[in-house]
Amino acid sequence: MREPGPSRLATAGYAVLFVVCVVVSVGLLAVGAVVLVADNAPGFAAALAGAAAEGDSWARGVLAATPPSEPLGQAAMDYSFSLLNLVIAAMLLASRVQGWPIRLLVIAMVASAAAFNLQVHPGGIALQTATALPVAGLRHVLLGVACAAFLLALLLFPPGRILRPGSALRKILISLAVSALLLVTERAGLVPQTVGGALFFGFLVPLVVLASLPRRWIHHGITMEQRSQTRVLFTVLAAVVAVAAVLGVVTLLAWRLGWLPVSTLVDPTAQRSDGTGEPTALLFWFARFASAAIAAAVLVATRRTGLWTAEQVLSVGLATTVVVALVGGGFVVIEAMGGALISVDVLGGFLTVTVLVTTLEALSFLSVHGRAERLVDRVLYGTRPAPYSVLAGIAALSRSKPRDGPNLARVAEAVARGLGAMTCRLTVARPGLRDRIYSWAEPGTDPDIEDVLEVPVYHGEERIGSIAVDRGAVVGLYAQRRQLLMDIADSLGVVMQASRAGVELERQLRAVLAHAEDIAVSRRKAVSEMDSERRRIERDLHDGAQHRLVSLRLTLGLAEHQVATAQYDQARDRLDQIAEQIESAEEVLAATARGVSSPLLSERGLVAALELELSGAIPPVVLDVGGLDVDRRFPAQVEAAVYFCCLESVNNASKHAPGAAVAVHLATIGDKLCFSVRDDGPGFDLAAGPHSPGRGLRNVQARMAAVGGRIEMLSRPGAGTAVEGLVPLPADSSRPSGPRRFGRGEGDRPFPTELPVEPDTYPVTRADSR
């Protein structure tokens, strides 16, 4: 979810405001620096006095502004913080993330560099004296712009979230009201500039922003990145409030106890009658530092690289800051109260009070540190289950009944809820197969996010999977969070192994059932085909051979009668008729048995049998043996498979493409016996729909499969049909007969190379549809 980009009008207005702030801030800082030099360099001041005597208005203005100028050391620190603000503004401007919070923060840093610089006040006086224009109030304009932009930027942070119009308007009004209050009080002289800066950056801004960060943003941000950004901002603001509170107490004690040399600050905007400075040095310099620190924290939070590390470091830093604030502030308060209330004569001097306070702080340090860590962890990350309860809950879910495998989806949810994660992903590795993933995510969270912390899961020495959670689940003050995730990974090793074994058994069971179904279908088909072949042979014997044998028996009986009645001439003619009937019966029986075996093939071999079988075909069939010797023999199973495949293909061509020219090619290529049967008939479209092979070709396919060969069909409408096949040959039968190319043209590749589907070639299928 990203905020919509700014309109052209908003972009133009922002650019104008940015340029004005840069020009005014840098100009006031430069004029204030000139006044500072004139106040601390007598030679330069004398030159300015001479120029002023000659009527130079700029020299007169600089000299008029030197009385309220800062001391040199204080001004050096002041300008250092202003330079730091400008550097951070440049870094924010160069940042890749340019949402409205970043844009407003750039304006705030540029404007605050001059608005909270004490030397700018003399610079404004010099500028107004030199130009006779009411420009001394430019600092107050910058102050209002800086305060409003700074507060509004933090109220709109983190960038990228969509705000409702009412919520955005409310934040703008809050920023304007707080800034106007500070501006009015300072203009009315109620508070000096140092006090205003300390109050604004040390208390008002952190408290207002902290109050606007609901718990749902700290614990359940829209995205994990925005949740971490909010935690980073919360951590820095909370640390600022803690330190500012302690420094406020120390400042109050310093003012009451007279520690003025340590805590006073020369404020050119304050008019004190006694000539002393303001006792707000600690608070003011810390406020200047806090403004830069908050902006730097926002800059770090907008960068994805190192965001989680920054969150963890700052959370530890917040706990440390709380401890230091409590222990250090307590030390100062107790020592001051002890020195003021307890008589030195009773305890033997001020050193005794210090020793007692130090001992008391040392005894309470560990207790304070532990409580501070627990408090910060609970505020930032909420109440988390104890490690034992998390592991116990996962162990309870991991138990499964003998009939059920472990429910890893529920385990992923339990891990996420136990760690306070927004998403959890369990990956079970399966060698040779796709990994199986079980994931859980909070509603509205993408379960496939990439910014996660992944820990491998082992079973023995084997890596069987991994567990991944969002980084926000393991960040915090305690290193046990990361160790807890590793302990969970160790406990899930057996569970994932059981799940993987169950999945593998389930997969093998499905494969066995599918294979068993294939075997059952194959057996039913084989039984059906065998039964059909038996009925065909029975029909052929009944309709052909049986009729001829019965006729032969009658003729034999008639010849016997003629011999018995001495009709020898008629009996001789009858014997000739018997011979013809026997020959006819033999031909019928040979034709019946042709689909089962071929005596001609057994006696003459493949080449010769094909030549004799195809020699009388009508129309004539062209046989090209590619240089094969007529007497060349191959294994009996190979010869039978190729022989019957060629005959069946020729019969198919005669049946489906009557009158078409048919050509049979036979050759050996390498260690394979290759053949093809082509016709120039009408052909058909293999891709037009499913085609079921006929019984004859199914028998041929079975024969080819039995000898390790394969058969393929190529056809296209208007381009004829081709059946091509190959059979591997044993080593002693693989003498090549010379190169032989199968195809329609000179450029075709030799079979069995896969043929491309191009306009001048055939598409390929694994089954003959005819």
Side-chain angles (χ1 to χ4, degrees):
M1 301 175 64
R2 295 293 178 189
E3 61 178 344
S7 63
R8 293 183 178 180
L9 181 60
T11 302
Y14 170 78
V16 171
L17 180 61
F18 173 74
V19 172
V20 170
C21 287
V22 170
V23 173
V24 174
S25 295
V26 174
L28 289 176
L29 288 172
V31 175
V34 173
V35 173
L36 180 65
V37 173
D39 186 48
N40 292 275
F44 182 65
L48 289 177
E54 297 177 358
D56 190 339
S57 60
W58 286 98
R60 187 172 60 253
V62 171
L63 291 176
T66 53
S69 181
E70 286 186 284
L72 183 60
Q74 178 180 311
M77 184 174 294
D78 212 353
Y79 272 88
S80 298
F81 280 114
S82 296
L83 180 62
L84 179 61
N85 285 2
L86 293 177
V87 170
I88 293 177
M91 296 176 65
L92 288 168
L93 194 62
S95 175
R96 295 182 179 180
V97 180
Q98 286 298 317
W100 277 116
I102 303 300
R103 298 187 186 98
L104 292 172
L105 204 55
V106 170
I107 296 292
M109 287 291 99
V110 172
S112 64
F116 290 96
N117 188 297
L118 299 179
Q119 187 62 26
V120 167
H121 177 69
I125 295 175
L127 191 62
Q128 181 169 331
T129 304
T131 61
L133 296 175
V135 295
L138 286 178
R139 187 188 67 82
H140 295 92
V141 176
L142 288 178
L143 178 64
V145 172
C147 294
F150 193 85
L151 185 55
L152 184 58
L154 298 184
L155 290 175
L156 295 178
F157 190 81
R161 60 190 179 113
I162 298 177
L163 296 174
R164 293 188 296 272
S167 176
L169 180 61
R170 184 169 61 252
K171 295 178 186 299
I172 294 174
L173 293 178
I174 292 174
S175 303
L176 294 177
V178 174
S179 303
L181 176 64
L182 178 64
L183 187 60
V184 169
T185 55
E186 185 176 337
R187 288 286 292 177
L190 299 179
V191 294
Q193 181 179 354
T194 55
V195 177
L199 290 176
F200 183 79
F201 288 112
F203 296 97
L204 286 178
V205 170
L207 292 176
V208 171
V209 177
L210 287 176
S212 69
L213 291 178
R215 290 181 59 83
R216 62 184 180 89
W217 271 101
I218 299 175
H219 304 302
H220 305 287
I222 292 179
T223 65
M224 289 184 296
E225 181 180 359
Q226 291 173 349
R227 182 174 64 174
S228 294
Q229 291 173 341
T230 307
R231 284 174 175 166
V232 168
L233 179 60
F234 182 94
T235 301
V236 175
L237 293 176
V240 168
V241 171
V243 175
V246 172
L247 292 180
V249 173
V250 172
T251 299
L252 181 61
L253 289 175
W255 177 64
R256 295 291 297 176
L257 298 178
W259 299 346
L260 296 181
V262 180
S263 59
T264 56
L265 184 72
V266 176
D267 187 355
T269 65
Q271 302 295 333
R272 296 179 66 91
S273 59
D274 55 0
T276 60
E278 296 292 331
T280 56
L282 294 177
L283 279 175
F284 180 74
W285 295 126
F286 175 74
R288 295 295 306 272
F289 171 77
S291 64
I294 293 173
V298 171
L299 178 63
V300 172
T302 55
R303 297 184 176 183
R304 293 179 60 91
T305 304
L307 175 59
W308 309 109
T309 303
E311 179 185 351
Q312 189 165 7
V313 170
L314 289 177
S315 62
V316 175
L318 176 59
T320 304
T321 302
V322 172
V323 173
V324 172
L326 292 176
V327 174
F331 176 84
V332 174
V333 172
I334 295 175
E335 185 180 24
M337 294 178 62
L341 299 178
I342 300 177
S343 174
V344 176
D345 295 334
V346 175
L347 296 178
F350 182 76
L351 181 61
T352 305
V353 176
T354 304
V355 171
L356 290 177
V357 174
T358 303
T359 304
L360 180 62
E361 295 289 335
L363 293 176
S364 62
F365 178 80
L366 291 179
S367 176
V368 172
H369 184 270
R371 292 177 181 273
E373 282 192 339
R374 288 193 295 271
L375 175 63
V376 171
D377 188 81
R378 183 170 182 177
V379 170
L380 291 178
Y381 306 102
T383 304
R384 299 180 178 182
Y388 172 78
S389 62
V390 176
L391 294 174
I394 294 173
L397 286 175
S398 302
R399 299 190 186 98
S400 59
K401 298 179 181 179
R403 295 183 180 180
D404 303 325
N407 190 341
L408 293 185
R410 293 186 60 192
V411 172
E413 179 180 0
V415 171
R417 295 189 181 280
L419 292 175
M422 297 183 67
T423 181
C424 177
R425 184 168 64 242
L426 299 179
T427 303
V428 180
R430 299 188 296 169
L433 299 173
R434 186 173 57 183
D435 294 345
R436 180 163 290 190
I437 298 176
Y438 304 87
S439 60
W440 180 88
E442 285 187 356
T445 304
D446 184 9
D448 298 325
I449 57 176
E450 298 180 357
D451 198 359
V452 295
L453 178 63
E454 186 173 7
V455 176
V457 177
Y458 291 91
H459 181 70
E461 299 296 330
E462 181 184 7
R463 187 180 188 274
I464 62 173
S466 64
I467 176 174
V469 297
D470 60 279
R471 293 184 180 272
V474 294
V475 296
L477 278 71
Y478 300 108
Q480 291 88 344
R481 305 301 302 179
R482 178 68 178 268
Q483 185 60 42
L484 176 60
L485 182 61
M486 295 181 179
D487 293 341
I488 292 175
D490 292 339
S491 66
L492 290 178
V494 177
V495 179
M496 282 193 177
Q497 178 64 19
S499 175
R500 188 169 71 163
V503 171
E504 179 64 20
L505 290 176
E506 181 182 356
R507 185 189 66 83
Q508 292 182 3
L509 178 60
R510 288 197 301 266
V512 169
L513 293 177
H515 187 58
E517 181 64 22
D518 293 341
I519 293 175
V521 172
S522 177
R523 287 180 176 178
R524 288 194 296 268
K525 182 183 293 186
V527 171
S528 176
E529 292 178 355
M530 291 174 61
D531 186 64
S532 177
E533 187 69 15
R534 180 185 60 78
R535 288 194 298 270
R536 182 189 68 81
I537 295 174
E538 180 181 359
R539 183 177 62 254
D540 292 345
L541 290 176
H542 179 273
D543 296 341
Q546 181 179 353
H547 172 71
R548 285 168 173 75
L549 291 176
V550 171
S551 177
L552 178 60
R553 180 179 179 183
L554 294 176
T555 304
L556 286 172
L558 184 58
E560 181 182 7
H561 173 71
Q562 290 174 346
V563 171
T565 57
Q567 301 178 14
Y568 298 110
D569 293 336
Q570 292 83 348
R572 187 177 297 107
D573 295 338
R574 193 63 64 191
L575 290 176
D576 293 338
Q577 182 182 359
I578 290 172
E580 293 176 358
Q581 290 180 342
I582 291 175
E583 183 178 356
S584 176
E586 182 182 4
E587 292 179 357
V588 171
L589 290 174
T592 302
R594 188 169 298 162
V596 181
S597 62
S598 173
L600 180 62
L601 178 64
S602 302
E603 295 175 2
R604 305 293 298 273
L606 176 62
V607 178
L610 286 176
E611 288 180 348
L612 293 175
E613 188 67 37
L614 301 176
S615 59
I618 300 176
V621 176
V622 178
L623 177 63
D624 179 10
V625 297
L628 282 176
D629 191 355
V630 177
D631 298 329
R632 174 78 179 274
R633 300 303 300 267
F634 300 96
Q637 297 86 348
V638 174
E639 288 186 337
V642 176
Y643 176 76
F644 285 111
C645 183
C646 290
L647 293 185
E648 183 65 30
S649 299
V650 171
N651 290 337
N652 272 335
S654 301
K655 177 180 178 182
H656 296 284
V662 181
V664 179
H665 301 275
L666 192 67
T668 56
I669 299 178
D671 58 348
K672 299 178 179 62
L673 175 60
C674 304
F675 64 91
S676 69
V677 179
R678 300 179 180 271
D679 66 67
D680 57 359
F684 61 96
D685 187 3
L686 290 171
H691 300 279
S692 177
R695 183 186 62 197
L697 282 184
R698 286 201 302 271
N699 292 337
V700 169
Q701 289 174 350
R703 285 180 179 270
M704 295 292 290
V707 295
R710 68 174 185 174
I711 183 172
E712 297 178 345
M713 173 175 285
L714 304 92
S715 186
R716 194 180 59 171
T721 302
V723 177
E724 296 183 341
L726 62 86
V727 180
L729 297 174
D732 57 351
S733 302
S734 60
R735 299 190 308 270
S737 61
R740 178 63 193 161
R741 305 179 73 86
F742 289 81
R744 289 192 173 273
E746 197 64 23
D748 288 347
R749 293 176 293 183
F751 185 83
T753 304
E754 294 290 342
L755 300 178
V757 182
E758 297 177 352
D760 57 346
T761 58
Y762 293 111
V764 178
T765 184
R766 291 287 181 180
D768 188 348
S769 63
R770 301 188 298 181

